[in-house]
């Protein structure tokens, strides 16, 4: 799905659904059991509400739950005045698509959590590292030779140029913001394990060299993308990782400082760093006007939240809602809120926001507990996953990259890695780092 345009096209869902289904049958992940029961129930509530938004309701119920939905129907559909049962979503087809993506993301979380509990974390992180290295090289080559095409032959027709397998540089930025800290966490875990054995130099083997190469390449790809939100997200993840290392007061703190120094040298050596710095001085993108700035999009999103406070317009229906609500110059159409949190509120309403907040609180408590309890080198992989999550949550103030299936699936995997429970088998956890 990552290679197939980030999952932006619906036809890319089939391979991912098949892979997840086979994995679920073979792995049989534990759901709503033990300390994760409340979190799993909250996720099920989010999924259930997304599905229920597509179910046709009697007119009376729909009028009570979403009184402004009829006005949208009359404005957008020829049969909008015909009295018949309709779903709460103003765009049921898009909401069904969003429900399928949500189902895949939740399944990915459960499957990855089970795999990590079986000491498979190392293989998962290595797969992310290889994927990050590959798409970063593809992105850099494509930017140099065919900046308007994906894979050198497909033109997505977007206003902003594509980047790597993604139709938007900010969307690929989301994937890299998640992946880079995770790979760095694995690197630190291997160094920490060797240091505990008194053989720090032994950590520099073939695997460590390509892991560091993958991390460096992903960092370069973030800079060359010129994505401001990705740069801020990466910086936020680095601050979190550094704060964690400083709190642990371990050898990892010196590793963080050394890594930061290397990244500073990379920034200084890449000509694109100057262009990225200049972009922060621009009030908006060069091809847009003030009427199309993010602040204007946010202002025009607020009336949707006001008119659909309880149920939202339906997951994935923001683009359809803007056919009615956009007041700015429509030469540039607002197909996303450019703020993941505003988009959740507009599409899901209070009924979605409440279980989402519950899930976020439960996850945060679980992640903090695991980070404080884990005294093995594996804690660095957990910290890397947590850092990636923090980075993308910061980036989501300006972007909605988590809407893309490839990004959502990686986000779910990081969440599972951060909070998985491996029990008390310390030797197993150490071997998982060493492999």
């Amino acid at each position: 799905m990552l290679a197939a345009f980030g999952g932006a096209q619906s036809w890319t869902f089939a391979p991912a659904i098949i892979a997840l289904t086979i994995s679920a049958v073979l792995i049989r992940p534990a759901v709503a059991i033990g300390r994760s029961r409340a979190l799993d129930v909250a996720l099920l509530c989010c999924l259930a509400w997304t599905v229920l938004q597509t179910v046709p309701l009697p007119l009376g119920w729909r009028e009570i739950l979403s009184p402004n939905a009829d006005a949208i129907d009359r404005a957008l559909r020829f049969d909008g005045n015909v009295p018949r049962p309709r779903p709460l979503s103003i765009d049921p087809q898009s909401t069904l698509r969003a429900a399928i993506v949500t189902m895949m993301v939740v399944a990915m979380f459960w499957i990855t959590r089970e795999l990590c509990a079986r000491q498979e974390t190392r293989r998962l992180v290595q797969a992310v590292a290889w994927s990050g290295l590959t798409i970063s090289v593809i992105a850099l080559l494509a930017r140099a030779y065919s900046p308007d095409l994906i894979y050198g032959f497909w033109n997505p027709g977007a206003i902003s140029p594509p980047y790597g397998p993604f139709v938007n540089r900010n969307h690929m930025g989301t994937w890299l913001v998640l992946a880079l800290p995770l790979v760095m966490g694995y690197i630190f875990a291997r160094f920490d394990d060797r240091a505990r054995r008194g053989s720090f130099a032994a950590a520099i083997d073939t695997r460590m060299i390509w892991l560091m190469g993958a991390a460096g390449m992903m960092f370069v790809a973030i800079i060359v993308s010129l994505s401001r939100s990705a740069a801020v997200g990466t910086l936020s993840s680095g601050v979190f990782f550094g704060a964690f290392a400083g709190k642990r007061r371990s050898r990892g703190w010196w590793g963080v400082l050394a890594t930061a120094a290397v990244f500073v040298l990379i920034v200084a050596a890449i000509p694109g760093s100057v262009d990225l710095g200049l972009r922060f001085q621009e009030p908006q993108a060069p091809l847009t006007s003030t009427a199309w700035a993010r602040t204007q999009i946010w202002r025009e999103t607020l009336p949707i939240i006001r008119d659909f406070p309880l149920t939202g317009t339906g997951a994935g229906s923001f683009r359809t809602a803007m056919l009615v609500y956009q007041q700015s110059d429509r030469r540039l159409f607002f197909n996303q809120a450019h703020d993941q949190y505003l988009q959740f509120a507009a599409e899901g309403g209070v009924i979605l926001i409440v279980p989402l907040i519950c899930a976020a609180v439960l996850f945060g408590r679980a992640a903090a507990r695991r980070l404080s309890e884990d005294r093995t080198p594996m804690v660095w992989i957990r910290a890397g996953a947590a850092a990636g999550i923090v980075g993308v949550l910061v980036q989501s103030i300006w972007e909605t990259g988590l809407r893309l299936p490839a990004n959502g699936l990686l986000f779910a995997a990081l969440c599972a890695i951060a909070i998985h429970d491996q029990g008390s088998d310390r030797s197993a956890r150490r071997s998982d780092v060493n492999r």
Side-chain angles (χ1 to χ4, degrees):
M1 177 165 283
L2 172 62
F5 320 120
Q9 305 297 322
S10 296
W11 60 264
T12 64
F13 289 7
I17 292 173
I18 293 172
L20 287 170
T21 301
I22 294 174
S23 299
V25 171
L26 295 177
I27 296 171
R28 300 177 63 184
V31 178
I33 296 175
R35 293 192 290 182
S36 298
R37 178 177 300 170
L39 174 58
D40 290 351
V41 170
L43 293 176
L44 285 171
C45 289
C46 294
L47 175 59
W49 175 239
T50 305
V51 174
L52 287 174
Q53 287 180 314
T54 66
V55 177
L57 297 178
L59 291 180
W61 290 17
R62 190 174 190 249
E63 180 66 24
I64 293 173
L65 294 172
S66 186
N68 291 295
D70 285 341
I72 301 294
D73 288 338
R74 290 193 295 269
L76 298 180
R77 295 178 175 84
F78 291 114
D79 65 344
N81 291 317
V82 177
R84 61 182 177 85
R86 296 179 187 273
L88 290 169
S89 173
I90 64 172
D91 187 350
Q93 184 175 359
S94 296
T95 301
L96 179 60
R97 181 183 187 275
I100 294 172
V101 173
T102 304
M103 193 178 304
M104 290 193 296
V105 169
V106 173
M108 183 69 169
F109 172 72
W110 289 334
I111 292 169
T112 304
R113 187 176 62 187
E114 185 67 27
L115 285 173
C116 291
R118 300 180 185 183
Q119 287 82 47
E120 295 295 335
T121 309
R122 182 264 317 181
R123 288 190 176 90
L124 293 172
V125 180
Q126 286 187 7
V128 172
W130 276 115
S131 299
L133 176 62
T134 302
I135 69 168
S136 296
V137 171
I138 291 173
L140 295 173
L141 291 175
R143 177 58 62 90
Y145 296 103
S146 55
D148 297 325
L149 302 175
I150 294 181
Y151 298 130
F153 67 86
W154 185 60
N155 188 345
I159 293 177
S160 59
Y163 195 55
F166 290 82
V167 297
N168 184 292
R169 64 187 172 196
N170 295 316
H171 294 164
M172 178 166 168
T174 299
W175 197 93
L176 293 172
V177 168
L178 289 166
L180 176 58
L182 179 65
V183 175
M184 289 302 305
Y186 185 31
I187 292 172
F188 276 75
R190 288 176 60 84
F191 272 124
D192 188 22
D193 182 70
R194 299 306 193 278
R196 295 184 186 207
R197 299 182 182 186
S199 179
F200 187 82
I204 307 298
D205 54 11
T206 303
R207 180 171 297 163
M208 183 65 78
I209 291 173
W210 80 256
L211 283 171
M212 291 190 291
M217 192 63 68
M218 285 189 281
F219 185 68
V220 171
I222 290 173
I223 296 175
V224 175
S225 73
L226 303 184
S227 171
R228 292 170 292 187
S229 64
V232 173
T234 302
L235 178 61
S236 301
S237 66
V239 170
F240 175 89
F241 202 97
F244 172 79
K247 185 178 180 180
R248 298 278 293 197
R249 302 182 185 278
S250 65
R251 298 179 181 89
W253 172 243
W254 300 106
V256 169
L257 293 178
T259 302
V262 171
F263 282 170
V264 168
L265 292 176
I266 293 176
V267 170
I270 298 177
S273 303
V274 177
D275 297 330
L276 178 60
L278 292 175
R279 288 211 69 221
F280 279 95
Q281 301 178 20
E282 301 170 358
Q284 61 270 334
L287 298 179
T288 62
S289 67
T290 304
W292 300 326
R294 281 175 170 79
T295 52
Q296 183 62 31
I297 300 174
W298 298 340
R299 280 193 291 267
E300 297 193 14
T301 301
L302 294 178
I304 303 177
I305 300 173
R306 180 195 63 209
D307 290 347
F308 296 84
L310 182 63
T311 64
T313 59
S317 67
F318 184 87
R319 177 187 180 95
T320 303
M322 272 298 165
L323 291 172
V324 176
Y325 283 91
Q326 181 171 339
Q327 303 300 315
S328 302
D329 187 345
R330 296 204 176 195
R331 286 179 295 170
L332 181 64
F333 181 61
F334 299 160
N335 62 354
Q336 57 176 307
H338 279 283
D339 183 302
Q340 191 68 65
Y341 311 107
L342 280 179
Q343 189 143 335
F344 278 142
E347 295 181 346
V350 172
I351 298 180
L352 176 64
I353 293 300
V354 170
L356 268 180
I357 292 176
C358 291
V361 171
L362 292 167
F363 169 80
R365 290 174 56 186
R369 184 169 60 249
R370 298 295 195 278
L371 287 173
S372 64
E373 293 175 350
D374 195 340
R375 297 298 173 182
T376 69
M378 180 64 67
V379 72
W380 293 107
I381 300 180
R382 292 187 191 272
I389 293 167
V390 169
V392 85
L393 291 179
V394 172
Q395 189 202 23
S396 294
I397 297 173
W398 300 278
E399 295 297 336
T400 57
L402 290 177
R403 296 179 304 114
L404 268 73
N407 293 338
L409 293 174
L410 182 58
F411 179 79
L414 262 66
C415 289
I417 291 171
I419 70 168
H420 75 277
D421 188 2
Q422 287 185 296
S424 59
D425 189 353
R426 299 172 67 90
S427 62
R429 281 183 278 183
R430 173 169 290 179
S431 66
D432 194 33
V433 171
N434 293 337
R435 286 181 294 174

